[in-house]
Amino acid sequence: MNVLDTRYRYGAVSRAIHWSMAVLLVLMLGSDWLMEAFEGLGEAQLMGLHKSVGVLLLGLLVFRLAWRRANRGRLEAPEHWEWASRLGHWALYGMMVLIPATGLLAAMGSGHGVEFFGLPLISPGAEIEWLEDAAEETHEVTANLLWLLIAGHVVAVLAHQLWLHDRTLKRMA
């Protein structure tokens, strides 16, 4: 099993990062439903978990982008699909940066601060209502856009697998 990406397949590290982030993103995007399902835990604990996983995802994204850079040119999209692949991936990356950034701004605006699994990252402070409101609204809108981008990503993978038969899914599985 290759650690690095090859011309024909993503390496173990790329695949582990991709699927870990996929699972965590679906959990985060579905956190409204999760918060309702696990109501007994308390809203503060669930929000703390939400923030911690969001910070973890941001860290994984930074690592993923660095890893992608280190593997640059090893695995490229077919030339006639390259522009769509680049656009789709950079849109996904952009949302994965914007969502935690607006979440951190909302937390700062709320005055509650941010902890990463119990370790303080941003200290509680004064409430800034306009910042909290604007950041929360943007956070929600971008999360909904990310759902659409993920759906587009899945549809593209299925089209490659079922219509074009180019083994795209096999490269990441």
Side-chain angles (χ1 to χ4, degrees):
M1 178 182 299
N2 288 335
V3 173
L4 294 174
D5 298 350
T6 68
R7 185 171 172 203
Y8 303 103
R9 189 157 193 230
Y10 289 97
V13 174
S14 293
R15 289 192 320 269
I17 295 168
H18 177 273
W19 292 110
S20 297
M21 289 184 72
V23 168
L24 290 172
L25 279 168
V26 168
L27 288 173
M28 288 296 284
L29 290 171
S31 65
D32 281 342
W33 301 315
L34 288 173
M35 286 186 192
E36 288 177 22
F38 295 104
E39 226 172 296
L41 289 177
E43 191 174 336
Q45 289 88 350
L46 289 170
M47 185 52 69
L49 181 61
H50 180 84
K51 291 176 186 178
S52 293
V53 173
V55 170
L56 175 63
L57 275 165
L58 185 57
L60 282 171
L61 178 64
V62 169
F63 180 74
R64 181 180 185 153
L65 291 173
W67 188 256
R68 179 182 168 110
R69 179 96 172 137
N71 281 281
R72 186 182 196 130
R74 293 183 188 264
L75 186 68
E76 296 290 331
E79 195 173 314
H80 58 285
W81 293 107
E82 188 175 354
W83 67 271
S85 175
R86 286 184 191 272
L87 180 64
H89 282 97
W90 284 112
L92 284 165
Y93 293 142
M95 286 298 118
M96 288 188 286
V97 168
L98 194 55
I99 291 170
T102 57
L104 290 171
L105 288 171
M108 290 169 45
S110 73
H112 292 121
V114 177
E115 292 184 352
F116 180 66
F117 297 108
L119 300 170
L121 290 181
I122 299 173
S123 300
E127 183 178 359
I128 307 169
E129 192 173 329
W130 67 266
L131 177 60
E132 180 183 16
D133 292 344
E136 278 182 355
E137 185 66 29
T138 305
H139 191 68
E140 189 174 321
V141 168
T142 53
N144 289 328
L145 287 173
L146 184 57
W147 271 121
L148 293 172
L149 288 170
I150 290 171
H153 184 69
V154 170
V155 166
V157 168
L158 291 174
H160 277 274
Q161 188 68 23
L162 302 173
W163 179 46
L164 299 172
H165 305 288
D166 64 5
R167 301 171 39 98
T168 295
L169 184 58
K170 177 91 170 140
R171 294 159 72 176
M172 188 52 84

